[in-house]
Amino acid sequence: MAREVPEETEMPLSWADSGQSILKLNIRHLWLFGAWPLSGSWFYDVYNAFCLAMGVWNAIESSLSLYYSWGDMDETTLVFISAFTNACGTAKMALFMRSRRQYNALARRVEVLMSVQSEFCSADPALADIRRGSQRRASRLTIGLLFLMFSQYPVWFPMPIITQPEQRRLPLVQHGWDNNTNYYELSYALQCMLATWATQLSNSVDLLFVTVMILTAAEMRILTLRIVSLKSENNEVGLVKRDNVVIGQTENTCDDEMYEKLCQCIESHQKVIRFVKQLENSMSSIVMLQFYFSVLIICVTLFQATYSTDYSSVLKSVSYLPVPAGQIYLYCWAAHNVTEQAEAVTLAAYGCSWLEASPRFKRALRILMCRAQKSLVITAAHLYPMSKDTFVSLVNASYSFYALLGQMNRR
């Protein structure tokens, strides 16, 4: 059976601990970009402070650039794309640093969650396949989307040098106060470094939570199959009648086994629900932040792709547009899957062999069904439910802002 959650779940993870975690890829990627310390090294603290300092500098740089480019809608929206993207990454890191103990606890609780039904997965190859499939899906999704983000850099970073080498333009934010004449090479390198750090960090945080939700949905799926498989063996056993065997005793034994299995399912169900609530508390503020910034980024990126007269800006905007939309969709898709699998518990309970079961089994099953009928919805900031319908509404909001910008631009 599963072990209880230890009191020291909030203790910092070490490098060895991360290597044994099912979230190894996500944790170490966050470590690489300065968000998740895996040791007490002062050098890492300096690296962490440097990353935050770059984020602050970008906020100042973007503000100055907006001041000097205000009135030029094309240039202003391009600054907004960069500013919103980097601000999102910086804000996520600040929130992550503030709640490090909470995320250490989340990583340890994931291991506990996976141990809740490990005994049953070991005994049933079909359940083990569901778990392995979810782990492979999460790993492939993490690797694929991080490389998708890396594919944006060859489009954004060298484009000013390729298309306008004589104008000495910077890749993201232009220095209108000196026409990019002072510290041009240093500014170019810093903007590339900051954009790489902010986008990788932002996507890595998202993928951490999405991975956890994928694993949680798989655990709920495993639970539904366990509930469906509950059946009485009275008919099979009762047909074998010997001279010195009392059939009633055999039936009682089978009923006891069936009831005990149901109690184990109820216990697993309660643990998964508690974990989902803990996950929601951990990710709630970051998800709401991502929704807010993604709506703004989609709006200004779509505007830039539609109205810009610079073909290089159009190319950059079109190639980048799927990234913020994908960040919203990942959260909504993963959370929707958790909700769907939770709702399937009621149907699974109704589909088990409860007709031949004992009265106490039926009573316990009714309690399970009543609890499962209460929707298990993951929210952003405990206000905004995450689902596929939410994704559509957020995209519609982005389009509404884009249409408003378009009207302003035509005046």
Side-chain angles (χ1 to χ4, degrees), residues 49-61 86-87 90 194 197-198:
F50 173 73
C51 292
L52 281 178
M54 283 201 303
V56 173
W57 161 245
N58 178 257
I60 298 172
E61 185 183 37
N86 293 332
T90 305
L194 175 63
W197 168 78

Side-chain angles (χ1 to χ4, degrees), residues 279-334:
L279 172 63
E280 182 181 20
N281 292 333
S282 300
M283 64 188 284
S284 183
S285 57
I286 287 182
V287 175
M288 195 65 188
L289 183 74
Q290 182 61 60
F291 284 178
Y292 172 77
F293 276 109
S294 288
V295 168
L296 295 177
I297 293 170
I298 291 172
C299 167
V300 293
T301 304
L302 189 60
F303 177 88
Q304 186 77 340
T306 305
Y307 293 100
S308 178
T309 57
D310 183 2
Y311 78 91
S312 63
S313 297
V314 173
L315 176 62
K316 291 189 292 186
S317 300
V318 170
S319 66
Y320 184 63
L321 192 58
V323 174
Q327 288 177 292
I328 298 177
Y329 180 77
L330 279 179
Y331 277 120
C332 295
W333 165 76

Side-chain angles (χ1 to χ4, degrees), residues 54 58 61 86 153 156-161 170-172 185-199:
M54 283 201 303
N58 178 257
E61 185 183 37
N86 293 332
Y153 305 146
W156 280 77
F157 295 164
M159 190 64 71
I161 300 176
L170 294 168
L172 302 176
E185 292 78 8
L186 178 60
S187 299
Y188 203 111
L190 283 176
Q191 287 191 12
C192 294
M193 288 172 57
L194 175 63
T196 302
W197 168 78
T199 53

